[in-house]
Amino acid sequence: MAVHLDTQSLITSMQNVVGQSYLLTDSAKKQPYCKGIRFGSGEALAVVRPGSLVEIWRVLKLCVDADVAVIMQAANTGLTGGSTPDGKEYDRPLVIISTMRIDDIQLVNEGKQIVGLAGSTLFGLEEQLAPYGREPHSVIGSSCIGASIVGGICNNSGGALVKRGPAYTELALFAQIDADGTLSLVNNLGIKLGNDPEEILENLENKRWTDSDVEQPDARASDNEYDARVRDVDSDTPSRYNNDGRRLHDASGCAGKLAVFAVRLDTFPIPDKKQVFYVGSNDANVFTSVRRDILSSFKHLPDSGEYLHRDCYDVSKKYGKDMFIVINKLGAKFIPQLFAFKRKFDAFADKLGFLPNKMSDRVMQAFSYLFPNHLPKRMDEFRDKYQHHWILEMSNDGVDEARQYLNEFFKTNEGGYFECTEDEADKAILHRFVAGGAIGRYHIMHGKEVGAMMTIDVALRRNDPAWFEVLPKDIDEQIDTKLYYGHLFCHVMHQNYIVKKGADAKVLKNKILTTFDERKAEYPAEHNVGHEYAAKETLRNFYRELDPTNSFNPGIGKTTKFKNWADQAGGCCGGHD
C-alpha cells in the first residue's frame, strides 16, 4: 500500500470530529467492520462512527483532503462483501465510515412516504409505520437482521414482495467527488433545506422543515412500474437484476460510489386480509403453469411467492432451527444483538487458537438439538410428499381469487395445497427466511467432509420454463450438495452448491455461470456485485460516472482499486469472477 500522507494527522483530525470513542484503529475493534458477513475482508486505516450527518460530511472532507479512499458502510449485512475492503491491493489507505449511529426516520405526508437517514433500518421503519397502517418496501428477510434502508437502495436489493420490485428511489441526498477531486453535496430529496452543506444536513437531521418545504418532483420514490413488468411472462429478459440500467439512478444501485446521507421512499398500505397457501408438487412444470397463470390472468398480484426445494427444507429445518427459535420467541429485533455477540464470541475463540473456527455456530447448533421439532405437522407432511414447496401469500380480494384457482387447478394436476393458519403461515415464512443462514451453518458443520461452498444469485428470463436447474453431468458429478430457494414469481433464484472435496470451486462456478449466460439470465439479481462478481459494462460505466476519481468503494465489481480508474496488474473488469 502506497501511503503519501501523514496518516496520524488524519486520524487525529477525524478523532476531533467524532470523539475518541468513535474512531477505531485497533485491529480487533476494526475487524467486524472490515469483514463481510459471508464474503470478503481486508484492512482499513481506521473505522469512523459519526453521530450526525454533519460529522459524516466533516470526516469526508478530511478524507478527500488527505487523498484517502472511503468505504461508506451501514449494517454490513450484504452477502457479496460490497461494503468492506477486499484484500490489500489498494494504492491509498482506506477509511470506513459506519453510519449506524444515525438511524432517524422522518415521515412525509402522514407516512405515505419517509425519509430514512444514513443508518436507519428496515426493522425500525416497519415499527414506525405500523401505527399508520403502512409498511416499507421490504418486510421479509433482510429486515430481520438489521439491514439498512440506504444499503438496500444503494444495492437495488430485491426482496420477496412481488408487487414492489427492487428497492429504488430518485430522491436522495448525497455527497459526490467530481473529476477535479472536489467534494460537493447534492440535494435531490425534493425538500427545501437551505444552501450550505452543513446547513442542509443540520436542517434535515433536526427536522427543521415543514410540509410546505416538501416538493413533489417528477421523480419516483419506488419502482412503480414493476407490477406490469413482472406480469410480462413472455418476455425474454429477466424482471429485475443489478445490472439493469433502467433502475440505476444516483443513489439507487450506486454500491457506495456516492456517500448517501438520506433517501426518500414510498410506503405501502398494510392489507386488511392476508392468507398464505402452502403449495407442493413433484413436477417443476406444475409450478411453471401456476406461475404463468397467476401472473398473466389474476386481477390481483400475489404479495409473495417463496420457493424452497425439499433438500433445502431439510437443511433449513436442522441447521436453521436455533435462528428460527430465537426469532419466533424473542422477535426479529433481537437479531442484530445476536450477530454482534456471535462476532465477539468468535473473535475471542480465535484468539485462544485451539478451538475450531466459527465456534459460535457450533455452540448454537448443539444448543438447537435440545429443542423439539419446531415446524407444523402439515408442513412436514408436505415435505414427505413433495420435493417442491411454494409459500404463496395473497391479500384482500386476491385471497378468494387464489383459493378458487388452486382448488380448480389441483383437481386435474399433480400436487396439492393447504391454507395455512396464522401460526403455520408465520412459521412457513420464517422457515424460508432462515434457509440462507442454515446453508452456511451446514457447510461449517460438514467442512471436513466437503469442499467449498458457492452461491449464485440469478435472475432468469421471464419466459424461461426451466427454472429448476438440471446441471450438465460433468458439473453435477463434482457437486456434493445442491440447495435451491428463491422468489419464483420474479424468477430470481438463489442457487447454493457445496462441491466435493478436491473439486475446483472457481472453475465450477464459471462453468455454471456460462450456462446462465447461454440462457440469457442475469447475475447477480439482487445482492449486487460486491467483490464476488465482475460488474458488467452498464454497471461499470455507472460507477465511473458517479465517482470519476474512484475514491468511494474502489474495486467494487472487480474493477480497479487505483485512483482515477488507473489500470493495475491483476485487475479484472471482465469475466465471471
Side-chain angles (χ1 to χ4, degrees):
M1 177 186 289
V3 180
H4 305 295
L5 71 156
D6 180 356
T7 54
Q8 187 54 52
S9 293
L10 174 61
I11 289 169
T12 300
S13 297
M14 293 191 297
Q15 184 174 292
N16 289 338
V17 172
V18 300
Q20 185 173 354
S21 300
Y22 297 109
L23 188 132
L24 312 177
T25 55
D26 177 76
S27 296
K29 292 180 179 178
K30 290 188 295 183
Q31 194 264 353
Y33 303 89
C34 293
K35 186 174 183 179
I37 193 170
R38 184 189 288 182
F39 182 91
S41 64
E43 297 179 359
L45 173 68
V47 175
V48 192
R49 300 182 59 228
S52 71
L53 298 180
V54 169
E55 287 186 3
I56 295 180
W57 174 255
R58 290 173 180 172
V59 170
L60 283 173
K61 286 172 62 178
L62 290 170
C63 290
V64 171
D65 290 345
D67 194 25
V68 303
V70 172
I71 295 178
M72 298 294 295
Q73 184 184 96
N76 194 16
T77 59
L79 300 180
T80 57
S83 58
T84 61
D86 178 57
K88 301 179 181 180
E89 305 84 15
Y90 297 89
D91 62 342
R92 296 153 290 170
L94 282 168
V95 169
I96 296 173
I97 300 178
S98 171
T99 63
M100 293 306 288
R101 292 177 63 207
I102 310 163
D103 60 357
D104 189 36
I105 297 167
Q106 301 174 6
L107 302 185
V108 179
N109 192 13
E110 296 183 329
K112 291 184 174 62
Q113 288 188 329
I114 63 97
V115 174
L117 301 195
S120 56
T121 64
L122 288 168
F123 182 81
L125 178 56
E126 210 171 324
E127 277 196 324
Q128 194 158 336
L129 288 175
Y132 294 84
R134 305 196 60 92
E135 62 188 11
H137 165 270
S138 180
V139 294
I140 184 175
S142 298
S143 57
C144 293
I145 55 173
S148 75
I149 296 170
V150 168
I153 291 295
C154 291
N155 290 300
N156 279 147
S157 299
L161 301 183
V162 179
K163 303 173 184 176
R164 301 178 193 172
Y168 181 75
T169 188
E170 295 166 5
L171 302 169
L173 174 66
F174 55 88
Q176 187 170 25
I177 302 173
D178 67 19
D180 295 327
T182 302
L183 181 73
S184 60
L185 187 71
V186 180
N187 181 12
N188 287 342
L189 269 182
I191 302 175
K192 297 175 183 176
L193 296 165
N195 299 304
D196 176 75
E198 293 202 5
E199 175 192 14
I200 290 170
L201 296 170
E202 285 183 350
N203 285 342
L204 176 61
E205 188 156 18
N206 295 305
K207 205 177 184 305
R208 295 191 193 119
W209 56 268
T210 64
D211 291 345
S212 63
D213 295 313
V214 178
E215 302 170 326
Q216 302 299 331
D218 184 20
R220 292 184 174 89
S222 63
D223 187 357
N224 55 11
E225 299 175 326
Y226 187 74
D227 55 349
R229 188 173 177 83
V230 75
R231 282 186 181 277
D232 188 2
V233 294
D234 292 316
S235 173
D236 66 352
T237 62
S239 58
R240 56 180 171 90
Y241 53 99
N242 289 129
N243 194 52
D244 185 358
R246 59 186 282 279
R247 286 299 173 256
L248 299 174
H249 184 95
D250 289 347
S252 294
C254 74
K257 302 304 283 184
L258 300 171
V260 182
F261 290 89
V263 292
R264 179 174 160 189
L265 302 172
D266 291 332
T267 67
F268 305 86
I270 296 174
D272 296 324
K273 178 173 69 172
K274 283 189 177 184
Q275 178 61 54
V276 169
F277 300 89
Y278 199 95
V279 187
S281 177
N282 288 308
D283 184 353
N285 293 323
V286 167
F287 280 11
T288 300
S289 297
V290 173
R291 173 184 173 271
R292 289 183 61 88
D293 287 348
I294 290 177
L295 291 179
S296 62
S297 65
F298 270 35
K299 184 177 179 181
H300 307 281
L301 277 177
D303 288 47
S304 66
E306 293 298 282
Y307 170 75
L308 199 67
H309 185 264
R310 175 192 279 155
D311 293 343
C312 198
Y313 182 106
D314 292 345
V315 166
S316 186
K317 180 177 181 178
K318 182 173 182 178
Y319 296 97
K321 184 178 181 181
D322 55 305
M323 191 62 67
F324 182 105
I325 291 171
V326 167
I327 296 173
N328 189 49
K329 300 298 183 185
L330 300 179
K333 195 171 185 178
F334 182 73
I335 297 304
Q337 297 167 256
L338 178 62
F339 272 70
F341 174 77
K342 275 171 57 38
R343 281 174 167 159
K344 290 179 180 178
F345 184 89
D346 284 335
F348 171 76
D350 290 345
K351 280 185 177 179
L352 295 179
F354 60 88
L355 294 173
N357 70 322
K358 302 288 185 181
M359 193 63 194
S360 64
D361 284 279
R362 300 174 191 278
V363 171
M364 290 174 70
Q365 187 60 35
F367 167 79
S368 72
Y369 297 141
L370 302 176
F371 290 84
N373 181 19
H374 56 292
L375 295 183
K377 180 180 179 182
R378 288 200 290 181
M379 281 177 58
D380 279 344
E381 289 173 348
F382 261 49
R383 179 264 167 224
D384 294 339
K385 196 172 183 179
Y386 302 116
Q387 68 165 312
H388 301 296
H389 296 237
W390 202 357
I391 306 162
L392 172 60
E393 184 173 8
M394 304 294 298
S395 62
N396 296 337
D397 292 341
V399 173
D400 292 335
E401 192 173 18
R403 180 181 291 125
Q404 182 178 352
Y405 168 82
L406 292 172
N407 186 49
E408 290 300 317
F409 181 87
F410 283 112
K411 285 180 180 177
T412 56
N413 291 277
E414 187 271 340
Y417 77 98
F418 65 86
E419 293 191 32
C420 293
T421 65
E422 187 174 342
D423 181 66
E424 287 173 329
D426 290 344
K427 289 181 176 177
I429 293 169
L430 182 52
H431 182 58
R432 155 63 186 88
F433 163 63
V434 301
I439 292 167
R441 173 76 60 78
Y442 173 88
H443 185 246
I444 290 169
M445 301 304 294
H446 293 268
K448 291 184 178 179
E449 304 109 55
V450 296
M453 181 175 77
M454 309 181 298
T455 63
I456 298 177
D457 163 36
V458 63
L460 305 175
R461 300 188 328 266
R462 283 167 278 175
N463 65 352
D464 191 340
W467 61 269
F468 184 67
E469 182 177 67
V470 178
L471 288 170
K473 184 179 179 182
D474 66 313
I475 298 176
D476 196 54
E477 62 188 10
Q478 297 184 69
I479 294 176
D480 180 87
T481 307
K482 300 187 294 286
L483 300 166
Y484 299 141
Y485 62 92
H487 318 302
L488 192 51
F489 284 115
C490 301
H491 255 195
V492 169
M493 305 302 296
H494 300 299
Q495 320 268 85
N496 302 269
Y497 314 88
I498 298 173
V499 304
K500 292 180 179 177
K501 213 163 188 62
D504 189 323
K506 185 174 182 179
V507 170
L508 278 180
K509 185 171 185 177
N510 282 335
K511 286 184 177 181
I512 294 171
L513 292 179
T514 297
T515 69
F516 287 130
D517 291 337
E518 292 167 351
R519 294 169 59 184
K520 295 200 294 186
E522 291 280 353
Y523 50 85
E526 61 181 15
H527 293 159
N528 219 337
V529 289
H531 291 291
E532 187 172 8
Y533 296 92
K536 296 181 181 179
E537 183 178 6
T538 300
L539 211 49
R540 291 201 308 271
N541 291 341
F542 180 59
Y543 293 160
R544 293 188 68 146
E545 179 184 342
L546 294 180
D547 183 22
T549 65
N550 200 24
S551 297
F552 285 127
N553 211 2
I556 196 74
K558 298 189 180 293
T559 57
T560 177
K561 296 174 180 175
F562 286 8
K563 186 176 179 179
N564 296 322
W565 299 89
D567 292 334
Q568 68 186 100
C572 173
C573 291
H576 294 135
D577 64 3

